[in-house]
Amino acid sequence: MFARILKSGTFHDVVGYVTRQFHDPTQYTPDTWRVIDSDNILTLDFRRMVQSFEVVHGFMPGKEAPAGHIAISFDIADAPCLTDEFMAQLAKEYMEGMGIKDTQYLVVRHLETDHPHFHIVYNRVNMQGKAVDERNNFKRSDKVVKAIKDKYNLTYSPLKQKYEDKIPEFEKKIRAAIYGCQSWDEFSRRLECAGIKVKFHNDRDTGNHIGVKFTDRDITVNGSKIGRAFTYRRLNNLFELNRKQEQPSSQTVQPKVQYRQPTPQRQTNVVEAVAEAVVENGLDLLKVGPGFDPEEEAFMREMRKRKKKKGLRI
């Protein structure tokens, strides 16, 4: 038993796929598929199935890609016990373990291949008008599938075992390749040397990369399946961070220091110094000399001051 959680979409597209509405009718005749279980779905024809889903989706019209889609395959060795009733029971137990409850669903069995398998289409809006809890659905799916296989003693597919054994090898090589890596091109070249090819999931509307997967011969694994660190978004952020760290740091701009030549002070000679002193003190330059008497000069200054004051009186 092996479960694949496929890309969600519109009910028109997903229901149309599982009921072979878009396939060659000469190759995929009505007896190559059949509805083996459903809940709250009118299964008379394709149009009524889609309308049934859309009615409940109307409770939360803003929910994008409301059609959940899961394919569950089995080993050929288990084919004898896989009746429609048993497959329907396995589908219910799987959905219950995944937390897909209180919502519409459709289980369609495909009969055109040797490997028995069926598809579950469910409404991601439940009957209460709330979103179905799909957190950690990939890890949860692995645990649920293992529990069901052990419960009913279903075959562990050799391909599944090979797939699981390959994951640690992918992780080791990817961790080695991302060291110091700065771009997807560089990353792809490194992994090619290790025998792994890098491929992308693109958005159907914009064409932009939204996911990454790794291929080694016949085994292809999504990056998210290997580990949370290997999703497209996280690897892209890592490469961008490595580029920034490798860029030369901008040189610190040193502030410009303007050096001003100090203005040379005018050297005052002795004569000029004496003249300035005389002017400041109101002295008569002609009286400066060997016969200069400070006391006499102080007396003369006092007399001049008194004379000036008398001249100011009216």
Side-chain angles (χ1 to χ4, degrees):
M1 180 178 177
F2 176 59
R4 286 189 301 152
I5 299 176
L6 303 173
K7 183 177 176 61
S8 302
T10 66
F11 292 113
H12 177 273
D13 292 344
V14 178
V15 175
Y17 171 79
V18 301
T19 59
R20 306 308 196 190
Q21 299 299 310
F22 315 129
H23 294 64
D24 184 353
T26 61
Q27 182 179 359
Y28 295 93
T29 56
D31 62 350
T32 61
W33 65 273
R34 59 175 171 264
V35 176
I36 61 175
D37 195 16
S38 65
D39 191 25
N40 292 309
I41 299 294
L42 294 175
T43 60
L44 298 176
D45 54 38
F46 167 65
R47 182 177 61 85
R48 287 184 175 85
M49 293 180 200
V50 173
Q51 288 178 343
S52 299
F53 278 117
E54 290 291 0
V55 168
V56 176
H57 178 219
F59 297 158
M60 187 185 285
K63 183 69 171 178
E64 297 181 356
H69 184 193
I70 300 171
I72 297 183
S73 306
F74 301 85
D75 192 270
I76 297 177
D78 296 327
C81 69
L82 293 173
T83 62
D84 289 351
E85 293 75 14
F86 185 42
M87 277 190 163
Q89 177 63 28
L90 295 177
K92 287 180 180 179
E93 292 188 21
Y94 176 83
M95 285 188 286
E96 183 177 354
M98 290 291 289
I100 303 173
K101 305 175 182 178
D102 191 29
T103 191
Q104 298 166 295
Y105 67 82
L106 183 71
V107 182
V108 178
R109 180 173 187 171
H110 285 176
L111 305 165
E112 78 282 1
T113 65
D114 293 334
H115 288 271
H117 69 281
F118 60 80
H119 292 256
I120 299 173
V121 182
Y122 65 94
N123 200 329
R124 299 175 68 208
V125 178
N126 66 23
M127 302 301 290
Q128 308 303 318
K130 298 180 180 179
V132 173
D133 184 3
E134 297 170 303
R135 290 173 295 181
N136 300 319
N137 56 355
F138 289 99
K139 289 185 177 180
R140 192 189 308 182
S141 179
D142 289 341
K143 293 180 180 179
V144 173
V145 168
K146 185 178 186 304
I148 292 175
K149 285 192 293 189
D150 292 342
K151 178 180 179 180
Y152 294 104
N153 196 28
L154 296 173
T155 302
Y156 275 82
S157 170
L159 179 60
K160 171 64 174 175
Q161 191 62 48
K162 184 178 180 181
Y163 173 88
E164 293 179 346
D165 292 343
K166 199 73 173 178
I167 289 180
E169 182 181 338
F170 274 113
E171 180 178 0
K172 181 179 179 180
K173 291 182 178 179
I174 292 171
R175 286 192 182 279
I178 63 178
Y179 180 77
C181 193
Q182 300 182 28
S183 70
W184 283 102
D185 287 339
E186 182 182 5
F187 180 57
S188 299
R189 293 194 304 270
R190 292 182 181 184
L191 281 182
E192 283 182 1
C193 295
I196 297 176
K197 292 184 179 180
V198 179
K199 298 181 180 179
F200 298 100
H201 297 293
N202 296 328
D203 185 271
R204 184 168 52 185
D205 298 325
T206 65
N208 296 332
H209 297 330
I210 57 174
V212 62
K213 53 187 177 181
F214 304 93
T215 299
D216 184 358
R217 293 185 294 277
D218 58 336
I219 300 294
T220 298
V221 185
N222 288 332
S224 58
K225 189 71 175 179
I226 299 171
R228 296 179 61 186
F230 306 125
T231 63
Y232 176 82
R233 180 177 62 84
R234 295 199 175 191
L235 287 174
N236 198 56
N237 290 343
L238 176 64
F239 299 155
E240 183 177 353
L241 178 63
N242 288 342
R243 286 196 299 272
K244 290 180 179 179
Q245 291 178 341
E246 285 296 321
Q247 290 176 354
S249 58
S250 56
Q251 295 182 351
T252 305
V253 179
Q254 297 292 337
K256 294 182 179 180
V257 179
Q258 294 182 348
Y259 176 76
R260 293 184 179 180
Q261 184 71 23
T263 304
Q265 296 182 352
R266 184 169 55 90
Q267 296 294 328
T268 306
N269 56 36
V270 177
V271 176
E272 289 176 335
V274 173
E276 288 178 1
V278 171
V279 172
E280 287 181 6
N281 293 281
L283 302 178
D284 189 346
L285 182 62
L286 298 177
K287 292 184 179 181
V288 178
F292 177 70
D293 186 348
E295 294 183 1
E296 182 180 354
E297 183 56 34
F299 175 78
M300 294 299 296
R301 276 203 307 272
E302 183 63 26
M303 291 297 100
R304 284 196 293 270
K305 288 180 181 180
R306 292 181 181 182
K307 185 177 181 180
K308 288 181 180 178
K309 288 182 180 180
K310 288 181 180 181
L312 293 174
R313 296 176 182 175
I314 299 175

